[in-house]
Amino acid sequence: MSAVSTPTIPGPRPLARRIGNVVRLHLANPFTIIGTPVIVLGLIFAVNWMIWWIVRTAAPSDPQSVADVADGLQYSGATLWIFVYMMVVAIMAMNLTFSFALGFGSTRRDFLLGSGLTFVGLAAIYAVAYILLAALETWTGGWGVGGTMFNSFYFGVDSPWWLRLFHVFALFLFFLAAGSAFGSMYVRWKARGLIVFFSVVSILIMGAVALVTVSDSWPAVGEFFEVAGFTGSYALSLVLSAIAGAAAYLILRRATPRN
Amino acid sequence: MDESRPIFQQIAEQIENDIIAGALPEETQVPSTNEFAAFLRINPATAGKGVGLLVDAGVLYKKRGIGMFVASGARARLIAERRDRFREQYIAPLLAEAHKLGIDADQLARLIHDTTPEESHP
Amino acid sequence: MTAIVDVQDVTKHFGSVAAVDGVSFRLEEGKIYGLLGRNGAGKTTLMSLLTGQEFATAGDIRIFGESPVENARVAEQICFIKESQKYPDDFKVKHVLRMAPRFFPNWDQSFADQLVAEFRVPLDRKMKKLSRGQFSAVGVIVGLASRAPLTFFDEPYLGLDAVARQLFYDRLLADYAEHPRTVVLSTHLIDEVSALLEHVLVIDEGRLLVDSPADELMGSATTVVGGRDAVESFVGGREVIHRDGIGGLLSLTVAGLTAAERATAKAAGLELGPVSLQQLIVRLTAGSTTDFTENAPTTPIPEEARA
């Protein structure tokens, strides 16, 4: 056989460009990440607004009752679905978008870096929008009817806006990171992998609960979160998000887009 | 396309036929390899090989940077070659089949004579 | 020779199944290759290995001299149009085509626009709502307009009608002529593409059966038909690729007859028939191949025949 030569090929395009391409891939159809959430949020808002209106007209209008209602409403979980939706977005991204990106010549590493960047960006944008809506809510006196959707207890009503921004951001990021981890488990090990994972997690949680109960440590656990406070707890979630992200990275590094 | 022979041979033969029929006159440019390939829906390398056969045989020649041309005298040469091969390519199988069917040479000659004298196209 | 793909003894196991089994070959720059074989023969797995989508169990793969695994430099030179390619659920055709230029450095937008019009692909329809033919057409458009130096088409025309398939062949040939590149066409529909191929690889049950220039392969086999005894005595100890018989009649497919041998066969009253590429491969990979594969050389045609 004659001597074999290899044609030289140009170097790869810069990393930033490749990662940017992956970001664009995730955002290719803006409807998924902006359209759908806005529409569903709008519907939930409309339903909630009617409930607030009914409550407001039905409830006695003395100051004590109004305060009670407001106090009850701040435990509203009306916006929780949007965090769950983000988890679904992340799961889909890891599964289908991963296959597509590899089909278009992205490396797994570039895909994961681009996805991470996208998710951090999405969490930031969503958090800002969330806090802006919360401000609007306050400014309009609860959308004119004393309602509460965004000034939720869970993000610390008494905290300054920038701390609440951090809380919301951390929670978005957590759901996106968890979704990424679940999605990558699915790609690598299919349903069986998820079943095994959740079984193990359930056993661990039950074990932990049993351990805490047996050792009479619930007060200590409560104390921990009390000391940590909202901000500390959310900061702790960042650690979990980082672990989930790292897991997604390690899992997808050896995954293949298969049917 | 006939599958008993490599495609590039068939391409060469097709170009020869066009030269013999006068569709490609001498000293005119023939289509490029890529044009042949696109027209016949074959791989350009295969078309190139077919054209190459004719270049080697002196039927076509290259003008650098312009393209491929039919050599002068190519048509007469091709016809002479085809005549040489006519006996083995057409007469021999004809006789073999006639023999199989019990048609003798005289009957065959008459058959040929009686059949409408249409120019048989190689 | 300029090899842009160099595969040495590559094996891929899925559990206990060897989807690709000890395969070695080279692909040279600027040729159209046919990767042929039955469904499930290992074609898609092999291409997934070459494009770094799968990890080889053993062996060495060099694409442009480098490993394709997690290699952005190599990946940018490749376009792999997979028959089973998955798209994000929310993707419409226009999203796919909008992303393509970002990922393929040689993308030609006006060519893509032309192909979209010619294949009549509905830009605003979701990928998962497309018919099989439209789905294939999107792949064909991306594969052609990307002009990647190494392009793989995995069963590119499933569901495409005759007109669209012809359009694909025409555009492929014309664009390949203008922008030479290496193309690998994987298919089990061989007759339609055989004239497009310069070189043929046949894979069966994960193993490489044939690695040969297409024109030599096409002329390489002949079917000898006649009375059982006459055929047997003519064929003698020659390697038989395929055997068919009814009563006293026998039809044997054998490799490479010389002109003199053909004349002998005809004189003996035997019928000689051509074997198309498709027939040849069907015969090589049909159930009765086990006999053949055991003594078949992987490369029946000598390399020095090539200029």
Side-chain angles (χ1 to χ4, degrees):
Chain A
M1 203 164 278
S2 48
V4 179
S5 64
T6 307
T8 46
I9 51 172
R13 286 174 291 179
L15 182 67
R17 171 97 187 271
R18 278 149 38 208
I19 291 176
N21 285 344
V22 174
V23 174
R24 295 296 293 247
L25 201 59
H26 284 300
L27 309 183
N29 189 349
F31 197 80
T32 308
I33 45 138
I34 295 171
T36 309
V38 166
I39 288 171
V40 181
L41 195 66
L43 286 174
I44 290 179
F45 176 79
V47 171
N48 272 280
W49 194 88
M50 282 198 293
I51 295 170
W52 300 327
W53 183 77
I54 291 165
V55 167
R56 177 158 180 144
T57 34
S61 52
D62 60 287
Q64 182 56 46
S65 304
V66 170
D68 283 351
V69 167
D71 191 48
L73 286 181
Q74 68 175 336
Y75 295 98
S76 159
T79 56
L80 182 67
W81 74 272
I82 206 171
F83 296 92
V84 178
Y85 178 81
M86 282 301 123
M87 187 158 83
V88 175
V89 165
I91 290 174
M92 300 285 271
M94 287 301 129
N95 182 17
L96 296 171
T97 314
F98 171 71
S99 295
F100 180 66
L102 255 61
F104 264 28
S106 178
T107 64
R108 292 166 181 79
R109 182 169 159 271
D110 292 352
F111 174 77
L112 286 157
L113 291 174
S115 302
L117 186 64
T118 309
F119 293 162
V120 170
L122 272 185
I125 290 166
Y126 270 91
V128 167
Y130 197 100
I131 294 306
L132 285 177
L133 286 168
L136 194 63
E137 186 170 274
T138 310
W139 187 66
T140 56
W143 313 103
V145 289
T148 302
M149 195 158 145
F150 298 98
N151 287 301
S152 173
F153 165 80
Y154 307 105
F155 298 116
V157 244
D158 301 325
S159 309
W161 68 268
W162 49 270
L163 260 187
R164 281 183 291 138
L165 181 70
F166 167 69
H167 298 161
V168 177
F169 169 77
L171 196 65
F172 269 122
L173 197 61
F174 175 72
F175 275 89
L176 286 163
S180 306
F182 300 153
S184 54
M185 279 177 215
Y186 179 76
V187 170
R188 179 97 180 254
W189 297 296
K190 298 293 154 198
R192 195 188 304 177
L194 286 178
I195 290 166
V196 169
F197 172 77
F198 283 113
S199 305
V200 170
V201 167
S202 310
I203 292 167
L204 286 179
I205 289 177
M206 281 190 291
V209 168
L211 193 70
V212 171
T213 309
V214 167
S215 62
D216 249 342
S217 310
W218 282 114
V221 172
E223 204 176 316
F224 170 80
F225 280 105
E226 211 165 305
V227 170
F230 274 119
T231 307
S233 304
Y234 282 114
L236 204 63
S237 84
L238 285 185
V239 177
L240 290 178
S241 299
I243 292 172
Y249 187 84
L250 293 174
I251 292 168
L252 272 197
R253 281 291 297 212
R254 295 292 299 175
T256 53
R258 231 173 270 159
N259 301 320
Chain B
M1 232 158 250
D2 163 17
E3 269 140 358
S4 61
R5 285 166 311 136
I7 297 174
F8 69 90
Q9 275 179 16
Q10 300 178 47
I11 305 303
E13 213 166 278
Q14 216 160 319
I15 299 171
E16 284 180 3
N17 288 343
D18 285 343
I19 294 172
I20 289 169
L24 291 173
E26 289 169 10
E27 293 305 330
T28 57
Q29 188 169 5
V30 301
S32 73
T33 302
N34 285 340
E35 284 165 341
F36 272 126
F39 180 69
L40 300 167
R41 296 200 166 106
I42 57 166
N43 190 295
T46 313
K49 230 167 145 182
V51 170
L53 280 183
L54 297 180
V55 173
D56 292 346
V59 174
L60 301 180
Y61 68 95
K62 263 182 222 168
K63 274 189 195 170
R64 277 180 74 115
I66 304 177
M68 211 70 80
F69 288 76
V70 181
S72 42
R75 182 163 182 267
R77 233 162 5 105
L78 285 174
I79 290 176
E81 274 173 30
R82 289 283 179 98
R83 284 199 173 145
D84 287 348
R85 291 207 319 256
F86 188 74
R87 181 188 281 257
E88 71 168 298
Q89 266 191 326
Y90 295 93
I91 305 296
L94 184 68
L95 285 175
E97 182 69 10
H99 180 72
K100 201 152 86 184
L101 302 177
I103 303 172
D104 66 26
D106 283 348
Q107 286 170 306
L108 187 60
R110 219 174 315 128
L111 262 176
I112 292 172
H113 188 77
D114 292 348
T115 310
T116 327
E118 215 174 6
E119 196 95 11
S120 79
H121 202 272
Chain C
M1 156 169 138
T2 309
I4 64 172
V5 172
D6 192 346
V7 174
Q8 293 299 325
D9 208 18
V10 162
T11 295
K12 174 67 188 178
H13 286 279
F14 292 117
S16 60
V17 181
V20 172
D21 191 2
V23 165
S24 303
F25 62 89
R26 283 190 181 132
L27 301 186
E28 290 169 35
E29 192 175 23
K31 288 188 182 180
I32 301 181
Y33 287 85
L35 177 58
L36 311 177
R38 304 174 62 176
N39 285 335
K43 305 189 293 287
T44 304
T45 305
L46 183 57
M47 288 186 287
S48 298
L49 289 166
L50 296 184
T51 53
Q53 293 200 9
E54 285 283 355
F55 303 95
T57 309
D60 187 47
I61 299 174
R62 298 277 134 191
I63 311 288
F64 301 104
E66 299 177 18
S67 164
V69 174
E70 289 295 272
N71 189 332
R73 191 167 127 101
V74 168
E76 280 170 11
Q77 304 299 312
I78 296 178
C79 179
F80 178 18
I81 300 304
K82 218 179 183 176
E83 171 248 320
S84 56
Q85 178 64 54
K86 284 190 264 183
Y87 295 90
D89 255 356
D90 57 334
F91 262 42
K92 295 176 175 176
V93 175
K94 63 179 179 191
H95 297 125
V96 175
L97 295 176
R98 218 178 270 161
M99 284 304 117
R102 300 185 166 274
F103 285 87
F104 300 109
N106 300 336
W107 182 263
D108 183 327
Q109 189 58 48
S110 62
F111 188 33
D113 294 341
Q114 177 203 331
L115 292 169
V116 165
E118 287 177 331
F119 281 98
R120 302 182 183 170
V121 176
L123 286 175
D124 252 322
R125 197 165 302 170
K126 281 199 175 176
M127 288 303 294
K128 57 178 182 179
K129 295 265 163 69
L130 294 181
S131 71
R132 180 68 236 193
Q134 291 168 327
F135 188 90
S136 294
V138 172
V140 163
I141 293 167
V142 172
L144 289 176
S146 65
R147 292 218 177 110
L150 177 56
T151 304
F152 294 90
F153 285 105
D154 179 17
E155 300 284 3
Y157 31 68
L158 286 188
L160 287 184
D161 60 29
V163 176
R165 292 203 300 275
Q166 209 52 257
L167 188 61
F168 169 53
Y169 306 141
D170 287 352
R171 293 299 168 267
L172 173 65
L173 274 182
D175 200 60
Y176 165 81
E178 263 181 69
H179 305 273
R181 53 202 193 257
T182 308
V183 176
V184 178
L185 267 178
S186 154
T187 181
H188 63 278
L189 302 171
I190 300 160
D191 268 346
E192 283 195 352
V193 299
S194 58
L196 305 185
L197 308 176
E198 185 169 352
H199 196 101
V200 170
L201 301 168
V202 179
I203 184 167
D204 193 46
E205 294 183 323
R207 277 191 269 176
L208 196 63
L209 281 190
V210 173
D211 177 357
S212 165
D215 49 17
E216 291 170 34
L217 193 60
M218 278 188 248
S220 71
T222 309
T223 302
V224 185
V225 187
R228 196 168 280 276
D229 294 340
V231 172
E232 292 280 19
S233 75
F234 169 72
V235 168
R238 210 181 294 274
E239 176 173 76
V240 174
I241 298 168
H242 187 77
R243 172 184 291 267
D244 262 331
I246 332 165
L249 265 187
L250 185 63
S251 160
L252 295 182
T253 304
V254 295
L257 293 184
T258 64
E261 287 170 324
R262 287 175 167 274
T264 314
K266 279 189 179 155
L270 298 174
E271 295 267 346
L272 296 181
V275 180
S276 75
L277 189 58
Q278 172 142 316
Q279 288 170 325
L280 180 64
I281 286 159
V282 165
R283 282 165 199 195
L284 288 176
T285 59
S288 59
T289 46
T290 25
D291 293 338
F292 176 74
T293 48
E294 271 168 17
N295 48 19
T298 313
T299 310
I301 311 308
E303 188 69 29
E304 57 268 25
R306 306 205 46 78

